Amino acid sequence: MKKRFLPFLLLAALGSHAQSTDYSITGVPFTQVKLNDHFWLPRIQTNRTVTIPASFQRCESTGRVRNFEMAAAKSGKFCTTFPFDDTDIYKTLEGASYSLSVFPDPALSKYLDTLIDKIAKAQEPDGYLYTARTIDPAHPHAWSGQERWVKEAELSHELYNSGHLYEAAVAHYQATGKKNLLNVALKNADLICAVFGPGKRGVAPGHEIVEMGLVKLYRVTGDKKYLETAKFFIEQRGQRKDYDAKNKNPWKNGSYWQDDKSVYDQTEATGHAVRAEYLYSGMADVAALTGDQKMIAAIDNIWNNVVGKKMYVQGSVGAIPDGERFGDNYDLPNTTAYNETCAAIAGVYWNQRMFMLHGESKYIDVLEKTLYNGLISGIGLNGKSFFYTNAMQITNNFSHTAMEPERSGWFDCSCCPTNLARFIPALPGYVYAQKGTDVYVNLFVSGDASVNINGKPVQIKQENNYPWDGNLSFTIDPKKATPFNLLVRIPGWANNEAIPSPLYNFQNNSAQKTVVKINGSAVEYTVDKGYAVLARTWKKGDKVEVILPMEIRKVVASNNIKNDINKVALQRGPLMYCGEWKDNDGRVSNIILPGTSSFTSEYNAALLNGVTVLKASVPAVDISNDGLNVSTRAQSFTAIPYYAWANRGKGEMMIWFPEKVKDVQLMASDEVLTPVVNH
Amino acid sequence: MKKRFLPFLLLAALGSHAQSTDYSITGVPFTQVKLNDHFWLPRIQTNRTVTIPASFQRCESTGRVRNFEMAAAKSGKFCTTFPFDDTDIYKTLEGASYSLSVFPDPALSKYLDTLIDKIAKAQEPDGYLYTARTIDPAHPHAWSGQERWVKEAELSHELYNSGHLYEAAVAHYQATGKKNLLNVALKNADLICAVFGPGKRGVAPGHEIVEMGLVKLYRVTGDKKYLETAKFFIEQRGQRKDYDAKNKNPWKNGSYWQDDKSVYDQTEATGHAVRAEYLYSGMADVAALTGDQKMIAAIDNIWNNVVGKKMYVQGSVGAIPDGERFGDNYDLPNTTAYNETCAAIAGVYWNQRMFMLHGESKYIDVLEKTLYNGLISGIGLNGKSFFYTNAMQITNNFSHTAMEPERSGWFDCSCCPTNLARFIPALPGYVYAQKGTDVYVNLFVSGDASVNINGKPVQIKQENNYPWDGNLSFTIDPKKATPFNLLVRIPGWANNEAIPSPLYNFQNNSAQKTVVKINGSAVEYTVDKGYAVLARTWKKGDKVEVILPMEIRKVVASNNIKNDINKVALQRGPLMYCGEWKDNDGRVSNIILPGTSSFTSEYNAALLNGVTVLKASVPAVDISNDGLNVSTRAQSFTAIPYYAWANRGKGEMMIWFPEKVKDVQLMASDEVLTPVVNH
């Protein structure tokens, strides 16, 4: 095989890539950011010691690995549920690769090589890699079609498998420098590029991700055909003529697969939420690399639609269980919220790319909201229990029975656990970004980062107790005095903006303003696109302090969201709070949060691995056992961070609380959910 | 004109008509039943002294009479809203005719002749009568079409006008013996029969009633073409091919006009409720006269559908405002109930015919439920205020704004007031029925009736204080001892059956049974098709007493009606009760009727022209002004007969009450409807 890819370290060192057009900003790679953060480091370590091993173990025990072995042997019978089960191995491999780059682990490294060897052997001579067909080509998986790719737009997910292979391969190459998996990926991608394209075969991939994967291969190799094929796939959408455009059913009109219109004509987020956000992420990549302004305009419109009309208050998207999809505008019911964990992860991918396109903090505001709330709620504190869906409300009568009240170890369709396995260790790559002499601080995560300003290395040490505390400290250590701009994101929530749209607003504006100090003295600062711009010639040991206001805030929703009318949610810093049965005498559906209720915050190191809780005395409604009498009494109410719910058993949970008695959902005493305590 | 109609008195004397096939039972005509009933006689007198004069006055003042004058002059411009406004005159004329037969009134009689003269002059030489076209044939009403009958299936209502003309003409002839209006009707009907029929023009009349009207002309004249044309129109339904059968929209698939299927294939009541029930009434007439068993089977199915799945608890039908139509099975919402008054009247017409076909009391049970509740609720106690719709619930937040909280004097489309004007004075015709030597007592209304048993006259005097009291007395006065069967309806409600279907049931079964005494001694009686059969040779002065159990009953709905789950309604005798603001401290939406609540009844002669009210001490829910505290307290609750609501101003009204606190619709104090008292 010819040496056709650019050395990763060279790419990383360049700061921007070799292409003439690209994102105006690039993330500072995860390999240059060493975390020692009290909030994130334990999660990354748990990911390494628990999640990834458990994930590989499940790939083995459920037969996912055996599928590859059988494909290599071309004998046996595909032994798991879905033809895309191959991707669980790719995703875990991707997460393990990130982990290895930070925590060397020869045994894990060797295991990865063994797995990669099995993957390589399962690949057909022309590069095709899809165990659901290769094991027994005459009898492929029922969803796969009798020929390669004939069912791609519907159910086969052959290109979905390819996309995750490419993502894993590039991560593995970047993290380890090894090319064994990358070579498999490139061989597969060469086949895809040979088969699909203008004048060749066309298809709108049924579950998007191959677009992002191909772009990553392009970035590694510089080979334009990967980028061109990614663009080709994106532009294939809306070309199929056999949908019924007048049918409202998203499966019948193509919108379930984002295939109802050309992407250039799409203005609203529709269909399966994960597929949609993977598409929008791929569009951002291709638009950045091609300068396609029309494509950027399309995802700008869609972003405004999502953030303005289709996002839950804790940053989750994809409200509708039937189809795991976006609902209509403002259709955000609490009792049936679907909110797939993968959709939260996809949202982070997409918002990071929107930021890199536009350099505006609002994208990171949304990313942070999702990250600290609706994304990490997907994984239990033990690192091996997962939500596929992320409920907004668990109450007995009024909860959809399909909503998950507790996390599971694995799922038949186990996309979410393995997506978390790959996302969590990549987190360091989201903390900083750079554009020439502009260094962006996007997330407030303690650790040491290395950036390169005009060839000169600069260390940035971040120290804080975020998200519990708003006092942020940054120590700048250039080798020698270096002029550059430190751009510190002032979160929207610190600026009286609950979300960058009118969808949610704070009921009580903060009286405090964000304070910035340099070397102990408060400084005036200008804000550009949401960032405090600190421009100076930085000297070794310069210290920046940023003090964010951490009042407890009540959030109200737009009246367009009918399910949230007359209700409030609680926020402090980036965290959304919920009330859970465990802290509140066994239930929360009888609680009222009046406008007059006054909360205090209190850090409790012993609770849920350490959390700041919110407390207030509030009215609670009691119904007598015979159902004929009702009364209110004052009760001590405790709210915990939403991400931490469902770690102590199963019972009521609510995010939105009525402000007045009249909006309480009354229940007879025998209808109230009896909590189940985990032991 | 040739003398082609049978003398009315001969027809009446025959007891059954000249046709070989007909209803097995016929009603004892209103002319043979003289009421002195304390409940109905005042209503009939108010109809005569207030409703009919007010109705004629409005026909004059709104331009309805002028339309006829302009049509006679063939000049001017149609000056009312709808092309079917002619029918308001026909219907008032019909009511006035019934009235005249009981209360001779030379001035009224003269006025009717003047009006009839105007109608006759508006008729075109060939019999066509439709002022909306005749006034200016080049510029007919927008709904009428440029040619006669071309828009009949949609909006012109030419045959609807004809149908009401025939009904009025027959009533006028029967009541007065005069033929001036009947001649106009026959001239019009001859044109219709010449134009429509096999091998001629076909249409499914857009708003049914011409079918019933033609049958009445057939009964009067014995001329078969009227019957044949009625049957032709009925069988025209479902023949149009330009509907979209797959479209759910009832306007697009023809079901709004009952034109989606052949009547023989219709099994469910669909579309506009008044049109539907007029059709089913016409089908019963035609089936009775032709012996068409398939047509009878169709209306039997439809009747089971209505009574089993589409009737409100107070006997109203046509739940859906959009289209004034039947909803889906069990779709009976309280806050948006439409319940057109005309649909209640149409239901009485249809059920009377079903009884005459089958001789079963269940049809009269439904008729009685509608008559005493959802029908007479349509007219205020003053006789000149009317509901077009009959609400099930008036509460502030939860009521559809289209629901009427108070009656009006007239409507642009004033079908309901004039339908009441013609229905009320015809009531005596619904009290008795006869089949040879079987005399049916269907309604319990005091007065004197004359029946003819094998040529021998028998007087039946009914004395009671119904519906307030269940003690019924009948005195039989044959000229000489005559054997015949007196069949007294034992109402379903007296027999623990709330309605002849599982749609509604009593929560508490009655412990008492109906007692029948003859000449002071209790007798055993057999029940056949719901009637107590009292067979003997009746002698002058024989006295029958029937004692119906009048306990207060709680009604519960089938769980299929989701809006009524965990709720109860109150019934006593045939009357359904409601709670109204006026008797209950200004509101009722906060009231609970627990299973343990115990009611007493109390007649109040000063209230609402005299009503029996129901009283209990029940819990009421109070919310504090700040909305943060809720409590229950015992309150004295008074329920009034549903028909009598909205006679004392405007405020909350409910029929279905929650049994427990949890099902109360809580409202903030400032959302509670403030009553408006009429002065």
Side-chain angles (χ1 to χ4, degrees):
Chain A
M1 171 170 287
K2 62 182 188 285
K3 283 217 169 187
R4 55 182 175 175
F5 37 84
L6 305 176
F8 168 64
L9 290 175
L10 171 61
L11 282 170
L14 284 173
S16 71
H17 302 303
Q19 299 76 30
S20 54
T21 302
D22 203 345
Y23 287 115
S24 62
I25 305 168
T26 51
V28 174
F30 70 96
T31 47
Q32 288 170 237
V33 183
K34 307 294 176 201
L35 302 192
N36 56 25
D37 189 73
H38 74 99
F39 188 86
W40 286 107
L41 190 60
R43 284 180 163 72
I44 293 170
Q45 282 171 331
T46 300
N47 186 268
R48 181 175 76 87
T49 59
V50 178
T51 313
I52 288 172
S55 187
F56 277 134
Q57 193 275 321
R58 282 163 182 145
C59 286
E60 299 269 6
S61 67
T62 58
R64 280 161 169 78
V65 175
R66 228 182 107 221
N67 282 336
F68 282 90
E69 294 166 348
M70 290 188 289
K74 291 208 183 307
S75 81
K77 189 169 179 333
F78 184 80
C79 67
T80 62
T81 310
F82 299 108
F84 53 82
D85 289 333
D86 292 359
T87 61
D88 290 321
I89 294 182
Y90 302 148
K91 285 191 281 182
T92 314
L93 243 162
E94 182 180 343
S97 301
Y98 297 130
S99 178
L100 275 182
S101 82
V102 183
F103 306 103
D105 180 337
L108 178 60
S109 184
K110 192 173 164 212
Y111 177 73
L112 296 196
D113 286 339
T114 316
L115 266 189
I116 292 166
D117 189 47
K118 289 179 182 174
I119 294 166
K121 285 183 173 148
Q123 188 167 36
E124 297 193 21
D126 66 354
Y128 187 76
L129 181 47
Y130 181 78
T131 67
R133 185 185 314 282
T134 303
I135 290 171
D136 181 0
H139 303 95
H141 187 282
W143 289 10
S144 301
Q146 279 301 314
E147 302 295 329
R148 291 176 179 181
W149 302 299
V150 293
K151 292 276 186 192
E152 171 55 34
E154 285 85 21
L155 291 165
S156 78
H157 284 43
E158 283 151 291
L159 295 174
Y160 175 75
N161 283 13
S162 290
H164 270 299
L165 170 65
Y166 307 162
E167 297 245 316
V170 171
H172 183 251
Y173 168 60
Q174 288 176 335
T176 66
K178 293 186 191 172
K179 296 166 202 158
N180 45 351
L181 188 59
L182 187 60
N183 286 334
V184 174
L186 291 170
K187 189 171 171 184
N188 180 265
D190 290 345
L191 171 67
I192 299 302
C193 294
V195 169
F196 293 97
K200 296 181 278 185
R201 238 171 134 132
V203 73
H207 190 316
E208 298 91 330
I209 196 172
V210 71
E211 305 81 357
M212 277 196 280
L214 283 166
V215 168
K216 286 188 174 171
L217 294 182
Y218 165 62
R219 290 188 183 286
V220 167
T221 63
D223 188 339
K224 285 231 168 204
K225 75 176 176 205
Y226 302 129
L227 174 60
E228 285 158 3
T229 305
K231 188 169 200 279
F232 172 77
F233 282 138
I234 289 168
E235 293 185 334
Q236 278 287 296
R237 312 203 86 80
Q239 306 305 312
R240 241 174 102 167
K241 303 291 178 223
D242 57 345
Y243 296 126
D244 174 5
K246 287 183 184 160
N247 198 316
K248 290 257 177 192
N249 183 327
W251 280 268
K252 299 285 170 63
N253 63 26
S255 70
Y256 177 70
W257 297 269
Q258 299 79 44
D259 199 14
D260 52 326
K261 294 176 188 160
S262 158
V263 293
Y264 296 109
D265 298 327
Q266 296 188 20
T267 56
E268 189 174 336
T270 57
H272 189 276
V274 183
R275 304 182 195 209
E277 292 186 312
Y278 282 178
L279 169 65
Y280 310 147
S281 299
M283 287 167 70
D285 283 345
V286 168
L289 288 162
T290 61
D292 184 339
Q293 296 303 314
K294 253 181 77 191
M295 197 177 280
I296 293 173
I299 47 177
D300 284 351
N301 281 338
I302 297 169
W303 188 89
N304 284 331
N305 174 253
V306 170
V307 176
K309 294 172 183 168
K310 298 195 174 181
M311 178 170 278
Y312 280 100
V313 73
Q314 36 67 293
S316 286
V317 295
I320 308 300
D322 179 21
E324 311 185 316
R325 65 187 165 84
F326 286 103
D328 292 336
N329 289 336
Y330 304 112
D331 185 13
L332 296 166
N334 293 312
T335 55
T336 58
Y338 195 76
N339 288 344
E340 184 176 343
T341 300
C342 283
I345 293 171
V348 167
Y349 291 154
W350 181 31
N351 275 288
Q352 169 75 354
R353 284 163 168 81
M354 295 301 285
F355 159 74
M356 294 194 297
L357 272 180
H358 295 299
E360 292 181 52
S361 71
K362 66 181 182 182
Y363 302 107
I364 306 298
D365 285 350
V366 174
L367 184 157
E368 183 186 61
K369 181 172 281 288
T370 304
L371 176 64
Y372 278 89
N373 300 289
L375 191 159
I376 54 170
S377 59
I379 184 164
L381 296 178
N382 65 6
K384 56 181 178 182
S385 58
F386 306 92
F387 276 137
Y388 195 110
T389 65
N390 290 272
M392 295 293 293
Q393 178 174 329
I394 299 290
T395 48
N396 195 26
N397 281 2
F398 310 104
S399 305
H400 196 279
T401 50
M403 297 300 97
E404 290 168 90
E406 57 185 342
R407 296 181 184 82
S408 306
W410 191 254
F411 303 91
D412 269 357
C413 170
S414 212
C415 51
C416 298
T418 55
N419 230 351
L420 283 159
R422 76 176 180 136
F423 175 79
I424 298 279
L427 183 88
Y430 293 87
V431 179
Y432 298 97
Q434 191 178 351
K435 176 185 182 182
T437 57
D438 288 344
V439 177
Y440 293 85
V441 181
N442 277 334
L443 299 180
F444 308 123
V445 179
S446 298
D448 295 292
S450 307
V451 295
N452 184 307
I453 309 291
N454 291 330
K456 294 172 199 157
V458 177
Q459 291 289 113
I460 301 174
K461 177 190 282 296
Q462 201 178 153
E463 291 167 294
N464 61 50
N465 187 28
Y466 198 79
W468 315 122
D469 193 296
N471 292 349
L472 313 174
S473 163
F474 306 87
T475 308
I476 315 298
D477 271 328
K479 271 262 156 78
K480 52 183 180 178
T482 305
F484 69 94
N485 306 320
L486 189 71
L487 282 77
V488 181
R489 182 174 65 94
I490 308 299
W493 55 259
N495 209 20
N496 292 328
E497 189 179 69
I499 191 175
S501 85
L503 195 60
Y504 303 107
N505 288 289
F506 291 125
Q507 194 174 57
N508 49 333
N509 276 341
S510 173
Q512 300 171 32
K513 279 216 65 173
T514 299
V515 174
V516 178
K517 296 180 182 176
I518 297 182
N519 295 328
S521 302
V523 295
E524 293 291 309
Y525 56 92
T526 59
V527 174
D528 185 33
K529 294 185 174 177
Y531 291 86
V533 182
L534 309 179
R536 59 191 268 142
T537 299
W538 297 93
K539 298 185 297 293
K540 194 172 177 63
D542 274 350
K543 191 164 179 183
V544 175
E545 289 164 276
V546 176
I547 302 148
L548 301 173
M550 295 296 276
E551 293 117 318
I552 299 157
R553 313 288 288 275
K554 287 182 184 152
V555 182
V556 292
S558 157
N559 279 336
N560 292 317
I561 308 180
K562 69 177 197 303
N563 295 283
D564 297 339
I565 289 174
N566 297 329
K567 292 180 184 169
V568 289
L570 295 167
Q571 179 171 358
R572 181 177 179 274
L575 296 180
M576 296 307 304
Y577 278 72
C578 69
E580 200 182 19
W581 60 279
K582 179 76 172 176
D583 311 293
N584 297 289
D585 294 343
R587 62 180 303 210
V588 291
S589 58
N590 59 337
I591 295 290
I592 299 158
L593 298 192
T596 52
S597 57
S598 173
F599 279 85
T600 56
S601 61
E602 184 181 300
Y603 185 74
N604 184 339
L607 186 67
L608 297 162
N609 294 358
V611 291
T612 293
V613 299
L614 311 184
K615 293 191 170 215
S617 174
V618 301
V621 176
D622 292 322
I623 289 185
S624 60
N625 283 339
D626 66 6
L628 303 181
N629 290 291
V630 61
S631 57
T632 29
R633 64 183 159 79
Q635 180 176 315
S636 169
F637 171 67
T638 298
I640 61 167
Y642 168 74
Y643 75 75
W645 82 281
N647 279 293
R648 297 170 297 176
K650 191 162 65 168
E652 289 190 350
M653 183 280 290
M654 284 174 73
I655 294 174
W656 288 104
F657 286 87
E659 292 188 87
K660 301 211 167 170
V661 166
K662 74 181 177 67
D663 297 303
V664 171
Q665 281 283 18
L666 298 178
M667 277 185 260
S669 53
D670 61 355
E671 293 169 332
V672 174
L673 192 59
T674 304
V676 178
V677 183
N678 284 351
H679 293 289
Chain B
M1 169 171 285
K2 63 181 186 288
K3 280 218 171 188
R4 53 182 176 176
F5 37 85
L6 304 177
F8 167 63
L9 290 176
L10 171 63
L11 280 171
L14 284 173
S16 71
H17 302 304
Q19 299 75 30
S20 53
T21 301
D22 202 344
Y23 286 116
S24 63
I25 305 169
T26 51
V28 174
F30 70 96
T31 46
Q32 291 169 234
V33 183
K34 307 294 175 202
L35 301 192
N36 56 26
D37 190 73
H38 74 99
F39 188 85
W40 285 107
L41 189 61
R43 285 179 163 74
I44 293 171
Q45 281 170 333
T46 301
N47 186 269
R48 181 174 78 88
T49 58
V50 179
T51 312
I52 287 171
S55 189
F56 278 133
Q57 193 278 322
R58 282 163 182 145
C59 286
E60 301 268 6
S61 68
T62 58
R64 281 164 169 77
V65 174
R66 227 182 109 222
N67 282 335
F68 282 90
E69 294 166 348
M70 289 189 290
K74 290 206 184 305
S75 83
K77 192 169 179 325
F78 184 80
C79 66
T80 61
T81 310
F82 299 107
F84 51 82
D85 288 333
D86 292 358
T87 62
D88 290 321
I89 293 182
Y90 301 148
K91 284 191 283 182
T92 313
L93 244 163
E94 182 180 342
S97 301
Y98 296 130
S99 178
L100 275 184
S101 81
V102 182
F103 305 103
D105 180 338
L108 179 60
S109 184
K110 189 170 171 218
Y111 177 73
L112 295 197
D113 286 339
T114 314
L115 266 188
I116 291 167
D117 189 48
K118 289 179 183 175
I119 294 167
K121 286 183 172 147
Q123 187 167 36
E124 298 192 18
D126 65 354
Y128 186 76
L129 180 48
Y130 181 78
T131 66
R133 186 184 314 282
T134 302
I135 291 171
D136 181 0
H139 304 95
H141 187 281
W143 290 9
S144 302
Q146 279 301 316
E147 302 295 329
R148 290 176 180 181
W149 303 297
V150 294
K151 291 279 186 190
E152 170 55 35
E154 286 84 20
L155 292 165
S156 78
H157 285 41
E158 284 152 290
L159 295 175
Y160 175 74
N161 283 13
S162 291
H164 271 301
L165 169 65
Y166 307 163
E167 297 243 318
V170 171
H172 183 254
Y173 168 60
Q174 289 177 333
T176 66
K178 293 185 191 174
K179 295 168 204 159
N180 46 349
L181 188 58
L182 187 61
N183 285 334
V184 174
L186 291 171
K187 188 171 174 185
N188 181 264
D190 290 346
L191 172 68
I192 298 304
C193 294
V195 169
F196 293 96
K200 296 181 274 184
R201 240 171 134 131
V203 72
H207 190 316
E208 299 90 330
I209 196 172
V210 72
E211 305 82 356
M212 276 196 283
L214 283 166
V215 168
K216 285 188 175 173
L217 294 183
Y218 165 62
R219 289 186 184 287
V220 168
T221 64
D223 188 339
K224 285 231 167 205
K225 75 178 175 202
Y226 301 128
L227 174 61
E228 284 158 4
T229 306
K231 187 169 202 276
F232 173 76
F233 282 137
I234 290 169
E235 292 186 335
Q236 277 287 296
R237 311 203 88 79
Q239 306 305 313
R240 240 174 103 167
K241 303 292 178 219
D242 57 345
Y243 296 125
D244 175 4
K246 285 182 183 161
N247 199 317
K248 290 258 179 190
N249 183 326
W251 279 268
K252 299 286 171 64
N253 63 26
S255 70
Y256 176 69
W257 298 269
Q258 299 81 42
D259 198 15
D260 52 326
K261 293 177 190 159
S262 158
V263 292
Y264 296 109
D265 298 328
Q266 294 188 23
T267 56
E268 190 175 336
T270 57
H272 189 277
V274 183
R275 303 182 195 207
E277 291 185 313
Y278 283 178
L279 169 64
Y280 310 147
S281 299
M283 287 168 69
D285 283 345
V286 168
L289 288 163
T290 60
D292 185 339
Q293 295 303 314
K294 255 181 80 191
M295 197 177 279
I296 293 173
I299 46 176
D300 284 351
N301 282 337
I302 297 169
W303 188 89
N304 285 330
N305 174 254
V306 171
V307 175
K309 295 172 182 168
K310 297 194 174 182
M311 177 170 278
Y312 280 100
V313 73
Q314 35 67 294
S316 286
V317 297
I320 307 301
D322 178 20
E324 312 185 316
R325 65 187 164 85
F326 285 103
D328 292 337
N329 289 335
Y330 304 113
D331 186 11
L332 296 166
N334 293 312
T335 55
T336 59
Y338 195 75
N339 289 344
E340 184 176 343
T341 300
C342 284
I345 292 171
V348 167
Y349 291 154
W350 181 31
N351 275 287
Q352 169 75 355
R353 285 164 168 78
M354 295 302 283
F355 159 74
M356 292 194 297
L357 271 180
H358 295 299
E360 292 182 50
S361 70
K362 65 182 184 182
Y363 302 107
I364 306 298
D365 286 350
V366 174
L367 184 157
E368 182 185 62
K369 182 172 281 289
T370 304
L371 175 65
Y372 278 88
N373 301 288
L375 191 159
I376 54 170
S377 59
I379 185 164
L381 296 178
N382 64 7
K384 57 182 178 180
S385 58
F386 306 92
F387 276 137
Y388 194 111
T389 65
N390 289 275
M392 295 294 293
Q393 178 174 330
I394 299 290
T395 49
N396 194 26
N397 281 2
F398 310 103
S399 305
H400 197 281
T401 51
M403 296 302 97
E404 290 167 89
E406 57 184 341
R407 297 182 184 83
S408 305
W410 191 253
F411 304 91
D412 269 356
C413 170
S414 213
C415 51
C416 299
T418 52
N419 231 348
L420 283 160
R422 75 173 179 138
F423 175 79
I424 298 279
L427 184 90
Y430 293 87
V431 179
Y432 299 94
Q434 190 178 350
K435 177 185 180 182
T437 56
D438 289 345
V439 176
Y440 294 85
V441 181
N442 276 334
L443 299 180
F444 308 124
V445 180
S446 297
D448 294 292
S450 307
V451 295
N452 183 310
I453 307 291
N454 291 330
K456 294 171 200 157
V458 176
Q459 290 290 112
I460 301 175
K461 176 189 284 296
Q462 201 178 153
E463 292 167 293
N464 61 51
N465 188 28
Y466 199 78
W468 313 121
D469 192 296
N471 292 348
L472 313 175
S473 162
F474 305 86
T475 307
I476 313 299
D477 272 325
K479 273 257 156 84
K480 52 183 180 176
T482 305
F484 69 94
N485 305 321
L486 190 71
L487 281 76
V488 181
R489 183 173 65 94
I490 308 299
W493 56 260
N495 207 20
N496 292 326
E497 190 180 67
I499 192 176
S501 85
L503 195 62
Y504 303 107
N505 288 290
F506 291 125
Q507 195 174 56
N508 49 332
N509 275 340
S510 171
Q512 299 170 35
K513 279 215 66 172
T514 298
V515 174
V516 177
K517 294 180 184 175
I518 297 183
N519 296 327
S521 303
V523 295
E524 292 293 308
Y525 56 93
T526 58
V527 174
D528 185 33
K529 294 184 175 178
Y531 290 85
V533 182
L534 309 179
R536 61 189 268 144
T537 298
W538 297 93
K539 297 186 297 293
K540 193 169 177 65
D542 274 349
K543 190 163 181 185
V544 175
E545 290 165 275
V546 176
I547 302 149
L548 301 173
M550 295 295 279
E551 292 116 318
I552 298 157
R553 316 287 289 273
K554 287 184 184 150
V555 181
V556 293
S558 158
N559 279 336
N560 291 317
I561 307 179
K562 69 178 196 305
N563 296 283
D564 297 339
I565 288 174
N566 297 328
K567 292 181 184 166
V568 289
L570 295 168
Q571 180 171 356
R572 182 176 177 274
L575 295 179
M576 296 307 304
Y577 278 73
C578 70
E580 200 182 19
W581 61 280
K582 178 77 170 175
D583 312 292
N584 297 287
D585 293 344
R587 63 180 303 212
V588 292
S589 59
N590 60 337
I591 295 290
I592 298 158
L593 298 192
T596 52
S597 57
S598 173
F599 279 84
T600 56
S601 62
E602 184 181 301
Y603 185 74
N604 184 338
L607 186 67
L608 296 161
N609 294 358
V611 291
T612 293
V613 299
L614 310 184
K615 293 191 168 216
S617 174
V618 301
V621 177
D622 291 322
I623 290 184
S624 59
N625 283 339
D626 67 5
L628 302 180
N629 291 292
V630 60
S631 58
T632 28
R633 64 180 159 81
Q635 180 178 314
S636 168
F637 171 67
T638 298
I640 61 166
Y642 169 75
Y643 75 75
W645 83 280
N647 279 293
R648 297 168 297 174
K650 189 161 67 170
E652 289 190 350
M653 183 280 290
M654 284 173 72
I655 294 175
W656 289 104
F657 285 86
E659 290 188 86
K660 301 212 167 170
V661 165
K662 75 181 177 65
D663 296 304
V664 171
Q665 283 283 20
L666 299 177
M667 278 185 260
S669 53
D670 60 356
E671 294 169 331
V672 175
L673 191 60
T674 305
V676 178
V677 181
N678 284 351
H679 292 290

